[in-house]
Amino acid sequence: MRIDRKKFAYLLIDKDMSVKEVAEKAGVSRQTITNIKQGKRCLDVIGYKVADVLGVDVADIMEMEE
């Protein structure tokens, strides 16, 4: 799964959360969240955890494949 970088960055700002906060609440490393923020792929289970922490449906932040 790839999370849309722009949507992710917007949500971090909108929710006033840092990479560290999202990582802690999702139970993953800061590096994992940094990788997501840079547009790298993540496991589906991590994508769902991140979406949950941000209070959105995973479909709202997934990058649509062309």
Side-chain angles (χ1 to χ4, degrees), residues 1 3 10-11 17 19-22 26-28 31 33 35 38 41 43-44 46-47 49 51-52 57 59-60 62 65:
M1 168 186 302
I3 293 176
Y10 171 79
L11 283 168
M17 294 182 79
V19 167
K20 182 180 177 185
E21 288 175 297
V22 173
V28 299
Q31 185 61 52
I33 301 300
N35 289 345
Q38 293 173 349
R41 297 182 77 76
L43 296 172
D44 289 356
I46 293 173
K49 287 180 180 182
D52 187 50
D57 189 89
D60 295 337
M62 277 180 29
E65 298 190 19

Side-chain angles (χ1 to χ4, degrees), residues 1-13 16-23 28-42 46-47 50 54 61 63:
M1 168 186 302
R2 192 182 309 262
I3 293 176
D4 187 286
R5 294 178 331 149
K6 291 179 184 177
K7 291 177 185 175
F8 184 70
Y10 171 79
L11 283 168
L12 285 179
I13 293 167
D16 194 27
M17 294 182 79
S18 68
V19 167
K20 182 180 177 185
E21 288 175 297
V22 173
V28 299
S29 70
R30 282 188 292 171
Q31 185 61 52
T32 297
I33 301 300
T34 299
N35 289 345
I36 290 170
K37 192 174 179 188
Q38 293 173 349
K40 296 181 182 172
R41 297 182 77 76
C42 67
I46 293 173
V50 169
L54 295 173
I61 61 171
E63 187 175 283

